[in-house]
Amino acid sequence: AGCLGGQQMTNFGACSPVEQSGQYSGVYTPSGTFIGEGNEHTLHPEQRTVYIQNNTLRHAEDKLHMQSFPANIVVSSKYTWWNFLVKNIFEQLHRIANFYFACVAIMQLFIDSPVSPWTSILPLIFVMGVTAIKQAYEDYLCHKADRNVNCRPVEVLRNRQFQRLEAKDIKVGDIVKVHSDDEFPCDLVLLSSEERDGFCHVTTANLDGETTLKTYFPVLDSVFLREANSFDNLRLLVTCDQPNSDIYRFHGRLKFSSSQADRDNQDVPTWSSLNTNQLLLCGSKLKSPSYILGLAVYTGPDTKLALNRKAKRQKFSVIEKQMNWFILPFLILLLVAGALCTGLEQRWENENREDHFYLDDEIPSYSFKNLFENFLGYLSLFNYIIPISLYVTVELQKFIGTIFIGWDRELYDRKTGEPAKANTSDLNEELGQVEYVFSDKTGTLTENDMSLRQISVACTLYEFKVDLGQALPIHCGSGEIQWSRPVNAQNCS
């Protein structure tokens, strides 16, 4: 477990003593097994146990199994300063042209090449350098966006008062206060809100694209927890599922126990079930009321938003994939030309060796090694059949194209004052090449605009006139309304 006997690992990376109660005394292993004096106690590994602010309950079966929870840090970038060079070169060598010219450059270093190796090395360095600079700049923007998310201010209950901290400082078990129009910094279990019933309205457009407000309700036992001092004598335990990517699945239990009841030896904890109606997902935004209080259960890479984020990989556009196939015939032509020239050279040497006796020492004897070296020499001589300048042009066009996208006035949003932003330049040529449009419902692509036309009040039918901005009666008196033959409003008394 990484701790001495009588201690246990906390979620802050430190070791704390394990309470000795009953027949249990020892440490918890990362697998959830309690090892120490007495019996061996195993927790369910498929469940996560979260205690409010690292407080434990009294009973031995509720011993704190402090798991190694990750920090609440969002990482959307691909590279770091120490792995950028190696990782970027490895990814760029996945392109057929880069791999080919790298092989040619290495080959020219070890054979008697008719051309200088720098004729292949310098263009390759230029192409890969332009791509590396472009991808480094794009990854820098990702790092910058990550810093904005990780360093945004949040209110966390520390030392019996709400303190303003950065989002990356949130730990599992913290009580977080989120205000209206703010995004939830991690996955929270709703405890209470400004409303008496504790409910709140949330928009999850960043998660599932739904713009309609969703209502969340806390359990009845926690609606009174509205102030910082409400948590002074409270011990709270949440057991829930281990992190998973399903945003529509959450099962857990909430257990209350007061420290005063512990001292009186009269602890009768209350249990409440939890589901998706109490889980506020990271990335969603609070709309009303003015604030809510929640218990952090999933942080950083354990949040459902992070688990649904796909790992970044090198993207290739359709044109780039087609270019790889276009190069294949030229590569075959290069191999055929090299083999043909090698064979013709060997034939000429065999037929003219006696006529040119003064070159006898210069003409090597026939061997497989000599043939292979001659073949590689012709490949190095004819390597310009595959145009490396084409890749230089394409890379520059992609990089400059992202700049013009940001300058395009037709893509400028005047309401928000934001221009178009190209997060990657690898797929510029894919813009506008839409083949399929998938829609889960008609409301996704249409606007539901309902206008009041007619209304019946006390057996009187009114028609709404848009130009007058008021409702005028078109039927007078009581009785059955004749919808098919309305009466003019001027005939009504």
Side-chain angles (χ1 to χ4, degrees), residues 189-193 195 197-202 214-220 222-223 273-280:
V189 170
L190 178 62
L191 298 179
S192 63
S193 71
E195 298 294 337
D197 296 334
F199 68 89
C200 66
H201 299 290
V202 175
K214 296 181 180 179
T215 305
Y216 291 82
F217 297 92
V219 295
L220 295 179
S222 65
V223 293
S273 62
L274 300 174
N275 53 41
T276 54
N277 291 328
Q278 287 82 44
L279 184 63
L280 304 174

Side-chain angles (χ1 to χ4, degrees), residues 1 8-14 16 28-30 43 49-51 53-56 63-69 172-173:
Q8 61 185 4
M9 183 71 70
T10 66
N11 59 341
F12 299 99
S16 62
Y28 282 100
T29 64
L43 296 179
T49 304
V50 178
Y51 288 81
Q53 294 188 322
N54 215 21
N55 291 328
T56 62
K63 287 291 183 179
L64 180 59
H65 171 218
M66 299 306 296
Q67 302 176 23
S68 179
F69 299 130
V172 172

Side-chain angles (χ1 to χ4, degrees), residues 147-419:
R147 284 196 299 269
N148 294 335
V149 173
N150 296 327
C151 297
R152 58 183 174 180
V154 294
E155 292 188 26
V156 182
L157 182 61
R158 297 283 175 85
N159 300 324
R160 297 185 176 182
Q161 62 180 353
F162 284 102
Q163 300 179 5
R164 201 167 185 84
L165 305 176
E166 294 181 347
K168 63 182 180 181
D169 297 327
I170 297 177
K171 308 293 183 182
V172 172
D174 281 342
I175 302 299
V176 183
K177 188 176 185 179
V178 182
H179 295 273
S180 179
D181 292 329
D182 289 342
E183 291 187 358
F184 299 114
C186 58
D187 290 349
L188 305 171
V189 170
L190 178 62
L191 298 179
S192 63
S193 71
E194 186 185 26
E195 298 294 337
R196 179 179 180 181
D197 296 334
F199 68 89
C200 66
H201 299 290
V202 175
T203 174
T204 59
N206 292 339
L207 301 177
D208 53 13
E210 295 289 342
T211 57
T212 57
L213 297 180
K214 296 181 180 179
T215 305
Y216 291 82
F217 297 92
V219 295
L220 295 179
D221 295 331
S222 65
V223 293
F224 67 93
L225 302 173
R226 296 190 181 92
E227 303 296 335
N229 55 13
S230 303
F231 299 90
D232 291 346
N233 298 322
L234 181 67
R235 292 185 176 181
L236 186 148
L237 161 69
V238 172
T239 58
C240 58
D241 301 330
Q242 290 290 357
N244 60 81
S245 60
D246 191 353
I247 64 176
Y248 301 107
R249 184 171 69 90
F250 178 74
H251 302 92
R253 294 190 304 169
L254 184 66
K255 185 177 182 179
F256 285 91
S257 176
S258 64
S259 59
Q260 180 65 33
D262 284 347
R263 288 192 295 267
D264 297 340
N265 208 17
Q266 297 175 355
D267 186 11
V268 182
T270 59
W271 289 92
S272 302
S273 62
L274 300 174
N275 53 41
T276 54
N277 291 328
Q278 287 82 44
L279 184 63
L280 304 174
L281 299 177
C282 176
S284 54
K285 182 181 293 186
L286 176 66
K287 303 304 293 184
S288 67
S290 60
Y291 73 88
I292 62 97
L293 298 181
L295 174 66
V297 290
Y298 303 127
T299 56
D302 286 347
T303 61
K304 294 184 180 294
L305 178 63
L307 292 175
N308 280 280
R309 185 182 294 119
K310 296 181 179 179
K312 279 204 167 187
R313 56 184 178 86
Q314 186 71 25
K315 297 179 179 179
F316 299 98
S317 64
V318 175
I319 293 180
E320 191 167 359
K321 293 178 181 178
Q322 291 177 349
M323 286 174 57
N324 292 334
W325 286 104
F326 292 156
I327 288 178
L328 187 59
F330 292 97
L331 182 60
I332 296 175
L333 177 62
L334 176 63
L335 296 176
V336 172
L340 180 62
C341 292
T342 302
L344 293 177
E345 178 188 1
Q346 187 63 34
R347 179 182 177 183
W348 184 89
E349 291 177 354
N350 293 333
E351 293 179 352
N352 299 276
R353 183 182 297 271
E354 297 179 356
D355 297 337
H356 303 83
F357 59 91
Y358 52 88
L359 295 177
D360 187 56
D361 296 336
E362 300 294 333
I363 300 177
S365 59
Y366 173 78
S367 66
F368 177 78
K369 178 181 178 182
N370 293 334
L371 287 179
F372 185 69
E373 289 181 355
N374 291 339
F375 174 72
L376 295 181
Y378 282 111
L379 291 184
S380 129
L381 185 63
F382 299 149
N383 75 87
Y384 297 105
I385 292 179
I386 298 179
I388 194 173
S389 59
L390 175 63
Y391 284 86
V392 176
T393 304
V394 170
E395 291 297 332
L396 291 177
Q397 179 271 333
K398 288 182 177 181
F399 183 72
I400 298 176
T402 57
I403 300 177
F404 278 95
I405 291 176
W407 291 347
D408 196 336
R409 293 184 177 181
E410 296 183 359
L411 298 177
Y412 179 78
D413 189 354
R414 293 181 173 83
K415 294 182 179 180
T416 60
E418 296 181 354

Side-chain angles (χ1 to χ4, degrees), residues 458-473:
C459 296
T460 301
L461 185 65
Y462 295 87
E463 183 177 11
F464 186 78
K465 298 293 185 180
V466 180
D467 53 346
L468 298 179
Q470 58 183 348
L472 302 177

